[in-house]
Amino acid sequence: MKLLTKLPVLVLLAVFTLSSCTTDSLDDKVEALELSSAIPETKTIEVEILELINNHRLSLGLNPLQEMSIVKSVAFTHTDYMVDNDQISHANFFTRSNYLKSNAGAKTVSENVAFGYSSAESVVKAWLRSEAHKENLEGDYTNFDVSAEKNAEGRWYYTNIFIKK
């Protein structure tokens, strides 16, 4: 009987911890999208996410990834889009990917997105528990950056983009 009373809470928790990832290998409809060249001020939570990812990579003997302002600006554009639409998505991924290939010298691009996590540690742990997200975190990349933004209710949205030059 206790399980039945906890089930609605578990379902709600699952909804708030939903995260997703994508890579160049997925098909997507490309929609017109204006990518901002604005680079927002870096938040503490973003610095912590990047440090946690690089610490994880170093613990496995992988190269640390270098931050890249153009990647941050593209990640910010998408995070802002998700906040405006109040939903997690990879909408327009191929527009972001093609932009980074044309303007940042990227050969491959992937991204992880998430929402609802209130700390850097919680979002990185969630990505590490998911095989597809973990593959991105541990992948053969050279650069990365992340954007974290809150919606009006205070819920965080995240876009973490990885590129290989």
Side-chain angles (χ1 to χ4, degrees):
M1 193 65 166
K2 287 184 181 180
L3 179 60
L4 289 176
T5 60
K6 292 182 181 179
L7 189 56
V9 174
L10 292 173
V11 170
L12 189 57
L13 181 63
V15 168
F16 282 110
T17 60
L18 180 66
S19 59
S20 184
C21 69
T22 192
T23 64
D24 279 332
S25 64
L26 298 176
D27 268 341
D28 188 29
K29 290 183 180 177
V30 177
E31 299 174 18
L33 174 70
E34 271 190 52
L35 292 172
S36 170
S37 60
I39 302 169
E41 187 174 325
T42 301
K43 297 171 189 65
T44 302
I45 194 168
E46 295 167 336
V47 171
E48 292 170 351
I49 290 168
L50 298 176
E51 287 175 356
L52 287 167
I53 291 170
N54 268 339
N55 288 342
H56 174 75
R57 291 178 62 86
L58 288 168
S59 76
L60 299 175
L62 300 171
N63 64 302
L65 302 177
Q66 301 300 311
E67 296 170 41
M68 195 171 190
S69 59
I70 190 169
V71 174
K72 179 162 186 69
S73 69
V74 171
F76 170 74
T77 299
H78 185 60
T79 304
D80 195 43
Y81 171 87
M82 291 191 300
V83 168
D84 286 348
N85 290 283
D86 201 26
Q87 82 176 37
I88 189 171
S89 77
H90 289 289
N92 304 306
F93 171 74
F94 283 98
T95 301
R96 291 187 295 286
S97 176
N98 290 334
Y99 181 85
L100 290 169
K101 287 175 180 176
S102 297
N103 296 285
K107 292 183 174 135
T108 57
V109 179
S110 69
E111 74 180 13
N112 288 346
V113 298
F115 80 99
Y117 297 95
S118 59
S119 72
E121 186 176 350
S122 64
V123 72
V124 172
K125 280 184 177 182
W127 283 332
L128 288 171
R129 285 190 303 264
S130 162
E131 196 58 40
H133 296 96
K134 185 176 178 180
E135 285 178 24
N136 287 341
L137 288 165
E138 297 174 357
D140 184 19
Y141 299 105
T142 55
N143 301 85
F144 72 155
D145 224 310
V146 67
S147 171
E149 298 294 328
K150 284 185 179 180
N151 69 4
E153 291 79 37
R155 183 183 313 152
W156 286 100
Y157 282 78
Y158 305 90
T159 304
N160 186 197
I161 298 179
F162 304 86
I163 70 169
K164 179 177 183 176
K165 290 180 86 175

